[in-house]
């Protein structure tokens, strides 16, 4: 019998993650590590990881990492890429990190068309801090800071930051995908591959928003969380390519 | 990930790394041949890890490994 | 020795370029706009990178990213903008990453105004960000010193792997003086700690999060050892007319120049006044002030603020002699005549007491 899925080269061997059972981070981490190998950029990659659940991502990715202050990841990535354009630079951020405190950094790094890739994990809550409302919390969704459900009159509306930056000419590739089952995971990997390839080809800025499960704070089982993404979350955050300015041929 | 097409007749086997599994049961949910089930045992983290059911026949389709957030599943084929 | 007539803001920038600064990140704010403009025009031509960021917060975080790759990096702003950088400066300290931060101070608090002031002394020397850290703080008084201290700041930052701040002010930034510019730094020391992509070797990471409290404590004490080293090696000050002084002024930056003007006047009238001018605000020149307190009868501290450095002077003097404070906050620039009257009045009081 031959092992079909060998351990990804750029993923630290047999490290048990701190993520909750069924958390989408673990899956996206694996996809990123696989792509580092398949696209052969692991040697020159620097990932900027956020403050949030993925703050410990450097315990798992076996590439050089720089941990950012909450929300500042795309600014740090700008500094890295501008200082060393030869490096492969990507941020890995949560919805609070990227679209709450880091909104300005997110919008302006995209608008400058920085040659970085952004992986945006949207699980509609602040995970690490215990399930508070995030900018992407759905209407009516209960969180620890919207105990009776998100009320637009009081808490505003789910923020579609990726759609916003997708309108910028400097954004070469933007897609929203979902880790909500095998097919979704395959599409997520393809989307991140396209984003990474955009940077490799020197075309400019790319971003992939990944709808991702947070069973603990959603108070669902992992399987229910996947279904909830498919059936509910995608109604608010429809999947698809939001911008593709890659020159063909 | 491996090619998903040639899965019908192939024989396969899965190994679950007991101390890495957090009992999220996603592999159990998505395994088309019900090869995986929740173990009676607890691992050191206090989770019921998934385990292969020897009666069921795995065809190495890799769905379990695809959905596993912990890289806790090894899939073998001929 | 060719001299160039240059403004303080331009001097900060040119000195940085000549010190091998590779990346500059800044945001417009009066009274230091010309610094960023100079960088926009000259840094790319010198093979460097200029980015105008969307905020001072973004700028300091871009600096962190560039610095993490080993590039010499600088950012500049003025008081309110420096407040926005404090989180980043604390992170630089925690990461043990070098970086040069220029603060061309202006009136405050709040939006304040664009006139020169020294109200950011506490913020700079006590650490405006969170956590236990110190930051070397240089205080130039002339445009030539801006050149020399900026050039040196990059070495101190790299040698000790620490952010270094330079406190100028709006007047100094706009004022032009002839300066001699240093040669451009050729090569720089290789920074093996920098992130370059793992290559074939093991991956590395930089993080300031240390969840294990004992590890965090160890890190804190490690930083303290570094700060002790900086205190030992990098403390600088100037003594002016202090040999036979009976009364000593203590002032830095623009205020020190005004005090020198006052002392020149007083010396003509036979008043034995002198000046101690801290050049490093942190590490503060406590030793010389403590020694001086044994041989002068009184000190007068002048600041363009409501009194901040005066606390460090008092800590050094510890009540040995009286320490008088005279400050003009809000962007008001005092005059040498004004200072000379203050010193003369204090001098008369000690004369009366001792006779």
């Amino acid at each position: 019998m031959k092992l079909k899925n060998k351990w990804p080269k750029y993923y630290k061997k047999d490290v048990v993650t701190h993520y909750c059972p069924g958390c989408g981070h673990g899956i996206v981490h694996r996809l990123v590590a696989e792509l580092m190998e398949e696209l052969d950029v692991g040697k020159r990659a620097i990932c900027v990881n956020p403050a949030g659940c993925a703050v410990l991502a450097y315990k798992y990715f076996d590439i050089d990492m720089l941990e950012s202050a909450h929300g500042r990841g795309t600014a740090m990535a700008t500094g890295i890429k501008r200082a060393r354009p030869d490096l492969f630079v990507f941020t890995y951020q949560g919805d609070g990190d990227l679209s709450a405190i880091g909104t300005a950094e997110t919008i302006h790094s995209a608008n400058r068309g920085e040659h970085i890739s952004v992986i945006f994990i949207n699980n509609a809550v602040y995970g690490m801090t215990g399930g508070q409302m995030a900018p992407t919390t759905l209407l009516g969704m209960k969180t620890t800071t919207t105990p009776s459900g998100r009320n637009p009159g009081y808490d505003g509306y789910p923020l579609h930051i990726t759609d916003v930056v997708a309108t910028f000419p400097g954004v070469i590739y933007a897609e929203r995908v979902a880790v909500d089952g095998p097919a979704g995971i395959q599409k997520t990997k393809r989307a991140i591959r396209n984003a990474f390839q955009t940077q490799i080809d020197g075309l400019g800025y790319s971003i992939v928003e990944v709808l991702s499960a947070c069973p603990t704070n959603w108070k669902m089982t992992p399987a229910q969380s996947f279904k909830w993404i498919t059936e509910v979350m995608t109604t608010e955050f429809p999947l698809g390519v939001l911008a593709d300015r890659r020159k063909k041929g | 990930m491996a090619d998903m097409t040639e899965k019908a007749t192939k024989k396969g086997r899965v190994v679950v790394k007991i101390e890495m599994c957090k009992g999220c049961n996603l592999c159990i949910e998505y395994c088309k041949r019900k090869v995986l089930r929740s173990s009676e045992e607890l691992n050191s983290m206090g989770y019921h890890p998934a385990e292969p059911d020897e009666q069921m026949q795995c065809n190495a389709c890799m769905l379990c490994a695809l959905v596993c957030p912990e890289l806790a599943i090894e899939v073998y084929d001929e | 020795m060719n001299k160039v007539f240059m403004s303080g803001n331009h001097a900060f920038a040119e000195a940085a370029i000549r010190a091998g600064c590779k990346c500059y990140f800044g945001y417009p704010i009066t009274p230091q706009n010309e610094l960023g403009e100079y960088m926009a025009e000259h840094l790319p031509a010198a093979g460097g990178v200029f980015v105008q960021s969307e905020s001072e917060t973004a700028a300091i975080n871009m600096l962190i990213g560039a610095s993490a790759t080993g590039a010499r990096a600088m950012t500049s702003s003025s008081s309110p903008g420096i407040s926005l950088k404090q989180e980043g400066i604390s992170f630089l300290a925690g990461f043990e990453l070098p970086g040069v931060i220029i603060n061309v101070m202006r009136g405050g608090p709040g939006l304040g105004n664009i006139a020169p002031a020294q109200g950011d002394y506490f913020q700079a020397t006590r650490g405006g960000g969170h956590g236990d850290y110190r930051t070397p703080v240089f205080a130039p008084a002339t445009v030539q010193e801006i050149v020399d201290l900026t050039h040196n700041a990059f070495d101190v930052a790299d040698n000790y792997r620490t952010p270094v701040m330079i406190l100028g002010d709006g007047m100094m930034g706009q004022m032009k003086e002839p300066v001699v510019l240093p040669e451009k730094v050729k090569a720089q020391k290789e920074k093996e700690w920098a992130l370059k992509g793992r290559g074939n070797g093991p991956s590395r990471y930089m993080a300031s999060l240390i969840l294990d409290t004992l590890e965090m404590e160890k890190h804190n004490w490690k930083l303290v050892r570094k700060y002790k080293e900086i205190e030992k090696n990098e403390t600088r000050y100037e003594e002016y007319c202090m040999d036979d002084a009976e009364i000593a002024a203590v002032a830095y930056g623009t205020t020190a120049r005004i005090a020198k003007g006052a002392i020149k006047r007083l010396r003509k009238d036979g008043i034995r006044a002198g000046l101690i001018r801290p050049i490093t605000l942190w590490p503060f020149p406590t030793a010389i002030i403590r020694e001086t307190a044994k041989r002068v009868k009184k000190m007068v501290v002048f600041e363009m603020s409501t009194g901040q450095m005066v606390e460090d002077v008092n800590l050094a003097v510890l009540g040995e002699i009286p320490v008088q404070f005279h400050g003009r906050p809000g962007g008001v620039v005092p005059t040498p005549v004004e200072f000379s009257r203050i010193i003369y009045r204090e001098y008369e009081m000690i004369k009366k007491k001792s006779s």
Side-chain angles (χ1 to χ4, degrees):
Chain A
M1 284 281 187
K2 186 163 61 53
L3 176 62
K4 283 187 74 171
N5 58 334
K6 71 174 179 58
W7 192 272
K9 176 179 179 187
Y10 294 109
Y11 208 61
K12 287 179 181 164
K13 193 84 172 61
D14 292 338
V15 174
V16 179
T17 72
H18 70 290
Y19 298 119
C20 307
C23 170
H25 275 305
I27 296 169
V28 181
H29 278 30
R30 189 192 70 237
L31 301 181
V32 167
E34 287 166 357
L35 285 165
M36 289 283 109
E37 196 171 355
E38 289 161 31
L39 298 169
D40 192 20
V41 286
K43 292 194 175 68
R44 62 187 180 94
I46 295 192
C47 170
V48 178
N49 68 306
C53 287
V55 69
L56 297 177
Y58 48 78
K59 289 188 167 197
Y60 316 123
F61 287 129
D62 201 1
I63 58 175
D64 277 8
M65 307 272 298
L66 178 64
E67 176 194 87
S68 79
H70 191 39
R72 316 301 177 203
T74 45
M76 275 193 191
T78 298
I80 299 169
K81 189 70 177 185
R82 293 281 183 139
R84 289 289 304 275
D86 56 308
L87 296 180
F88 180 83
V89 181
F90 67 101
T91 70
Y92 185 103
Q93 302 175 261
D95 40 45
D97 192 272
L98 181 138
S99 70
I101 187 170
T103 306
E105 284 81 0
T106 300
I107 284 185
H108 286 280
S109 54
N111 193 52
R112 287 190 303 268
E114 298 293 342
H115 286 239
I116 60 175
S117 301
V118 174
I119 298 182
F120 166 24
I121 305 297
N122 177 0
N123 60 13
V125 285
Y126 280 79
M128 180 170 85
T129 44
Q132 295 78 16
M133 175 180 76
T136 50
T137 294
L138 307 190
L139 294 179
M141 185 178 173
K142 285 192 170 63
T143 71
T144 57
T145 47
T146 55
S148 48
R150 181 173 192 170
N151 165 4
Y154 195 79
D155 309 307
Y157 295 82
L159 180 62
H160 289 246
I161 189 100
T162 312
D163 306 75
V164 170
V165 302
T167 65
F168 298 165
V171 171
I172 303 305
Y173 192 79
E175 182 172 1
R176 181 182 298 117
V177 286
V179 169
D180 61 352
I185 293 169
Q186 301 274 44
K187 288 200 189 80
T188 297
K189 182 166 183 178
R190 199 174 312 121
I192 297 175
R193 179 194 298 277
N194 289 344
F196 282 0
Q197 195 61 52
T198 299
Q199 180 178 166
I200 293 166
D201 298 344
L203 302 178
Y205 177 95
S206 53
I207 180 169
V208 175
E209 176 182 344
V210 183
L211 305 187
S212 172
C214 180
T216 298
N217 287 307
W218 293 358
K219 298 185 172 39
M220 302 174 196
T221 70
Q224 287 165 346
S225 307
F226 274 26
K227 276 190 186 47
W228 188 77
I229 295 174
T230 313
E231 290 157 5
V232 180
M233 202 169 176
T234 50
T235 58
E236 176 62 54
F237 292 103
L239 307 183
V241 175
L242 305 172
D244 188 351
R245 297 183 175 83
R246 295 174 296 175
K247 297 286 174 298
K248 293 292 167 283
Chain B
M1 292 313 287
D3 185 349
M4 302 287 289
T5 52
E6 27 82 19
K7 61 183 183 309
T9 57
K10 274 170 37 60
K11 289 267 180 310
R13 186 168 58 83
V14 287
V15 170
V16 178
K17 296 179 192 166
I18 291 170
E19 284 311 320
M20 293 192 70
C21 171
K22 292 178 182 166
C24 78
N25 295 341
L26 283 169
C27 57
I28 297 170
E29 174 77 18
Y30 286 97
C31 174
K32 290 201 166 60
R33 295 174 154 237
K34 295 299 162 229
V35 172
L36 288 155
R37 65 179 179 213
S38 190
S39 159
E40 299 299 323
E41 305 300 319
L42 289 176
N43 65 16
S44 65
M45 293 189 281
Y47 294 118
H48 288 288
E51 66 179 13
D53 176 344
E54 298 315 328
Q55 275 80 30
M56 309 307 286
Q57 183 47 60
C58 162
N59 62 5
C61 77
M62 298 285 287
L63 277 185
C64 55
L66 189 62
V67 298
C68 175
E70 303 302 329
L71 285 108
I73 299 176
E74 288 178 338
V75 181
Y76 294 85
D77 69 356
E78 264 99 70
Chain C
M1 274 274 277
N2 48 4
K3 291 216 167 190
V4 182
F5 199 48
M6 203 172 228
S7 73
N9 282 337
H10 284 181
F12 278 124
E14 182 56 33
I17 294 172
R18 288 168 181 255
C21 173
K22 172 124 193 275
C23 299
Y24 171 84
F25 308 102
Y27 187 85
I29 183 168
T30 303
Q32 59 83 62
N33 300 308
E34 299 78 6
L35 201 164
E37 289 165 352
Y38 190 95
M39 283 300 201
E41 196 178 338
H42 297 280
L43 187 51
V49 166
F50 166 84
V51 176
Q52 181 173 312
S53 61
E54 61 272 24
S55 72
E56 291 91 346
T57 306
I60 189 76
N61 280 286
M62 291 176 189
L63 181 143
I64 292 174
S67 177
T69 72
R72 282 191 155 182
M74 179 165 106
T75 184
S76 68
S77 186
S78 173
S79 305
I82 297 293
S83 294
L84 291 178
K85 293 181 194 289
Q86 293 305 317
E87 177 196 47
I89 291 170
S90 169
F91 271 73
L92 280 167
F95 275 125
E96 295 196 85
L97 279 176
V100 174
I101 302 109
I102 313 288
N103 178 4
V104 182
M105 293 186 285
R106 62 188 251 175
L111 204 49
N113 57 37
I114 57 171
Q118 297 181 324
D120 304 353
Y121 180 94
F122 280 154
Q123 178 191 57
T125 60
R126 294 306 186 277
H130 56 286
D132 269 311
Y133 71 96
R134 308 310 294 262
T135 319
V137 181
F138 297 166
T142 65
V143 178
Q144 183 62 57
E145 221 174 20
I146 283 177
V147 169
D148 304 338
L149 291 178
T150 302
H151 200 274
N152 177 249
F154 282 95
D155 292 335
V156 171
D158 280 355
N159 295 342
Y160 298 94
R161 288 178 60 183
T162 172
V164 173
M165 182 174 280
I166 302 180
L167 288 192
D169 63 52
M171 181 158 126
M172 196 186 296
Q174 300 297 334
M175 183 172 64
K176 283 194 167 189
E177 285 185 309
V179 292
V180 174
L181 294 167
E183 284 312 309
K184 176 136 199 228
V185 157
K186 298 285 179 296
Q188 283 161 30
K189 280 208 305 287
E190 174 63 24
K191 295 174 182 169
E192 85 307 319
W193 48 261
L195 291 181
K196 306 185 179 57
R198 62 168 255 185
N200 297 317
S203 61
R204 294 177 303 163
Y205 67 90
M206 287 185 183
S208 57
L209 175 83
I210 304 174
L211 289 174
D212 180 321
T213 52
L214 291 176
E215 285 305 313
M216 187 82 225
E217 180 183 30
K218 235 187 277 168
H219 187 59
N220 276 316
W221 292 123
K222 177 187 177 198
L223 293 177
V224 166
R225 285 193 297 280
K226 174 193 301 189
Y227 300 137
K228 286 277 174 281
E229 200 56 24
I230 294 173
E231 279 172 336
K232 196 159 55 87
N233 305 330
E234 304 298 337
T235 304
R236 264 168 285 158
Y237 57 88
E238 177 199 3
E239 287 181 286
Y240 175 76
C241 300
M242 282 303 296
D243 299 343
D244 63 347
E246 292 180 292
I247 185 165
V250 185
Y252 70 92
T254 296
T255 322
R257 296 184 70 156
I258 297 165
K260 279 187 181 175
I263 288 162
K264 280 196 192 104
R265 285 172 194 282
L266 292 165
R267 281 280 172 176
K268 284 204 195 78
D269 302 338
I271 309 293
R272 288 168 38 209
L275 165 74
I276 298 173
R277 176 172 73 90
I279 296 170
T280 54
L281 302 182
W282 193 87
F284 191 71
T286 303
I288 183 64
I289 289 181
R290 181 159 295 150
E291 266 163 52
T292 305
K294 296 191 176 71
R295 47 189 182 81
V296 300
K297 299 197 176 51
K298 174 174 275 194
M299 284 186 182
V300 185
V301 178
F302 292 105
E303 292 178 75
M304 289 196 292
S305 74
T306 55
Q308 297 184 25
M309 181 180 68
V310 62
E311 293 193 4
D312 281 335
V313 174
N314 278 318
L315 280 173
V317 169
L318 291 176
E320 182 87 16
I321 54 170
V323 173
Q324 184 62 38
F325 170 72
H326 177 73
R328 300 300 300 273
V332 170
V333 179
T335 65
V337 172
E338 175 184 342
F339 279 9
S340 61
R341 280 204 205 97
I342 302 286
I343 297 173
Y344 183 75
R345 183 190 70 202
E346 297 304 322
Y347 186 78
E348 281 303 294
M349 283 159 68
I350 51 177
K351 280 297 159 203
K352 208 176 290 133
K353 222 183 326 156
S354 60
S355 62

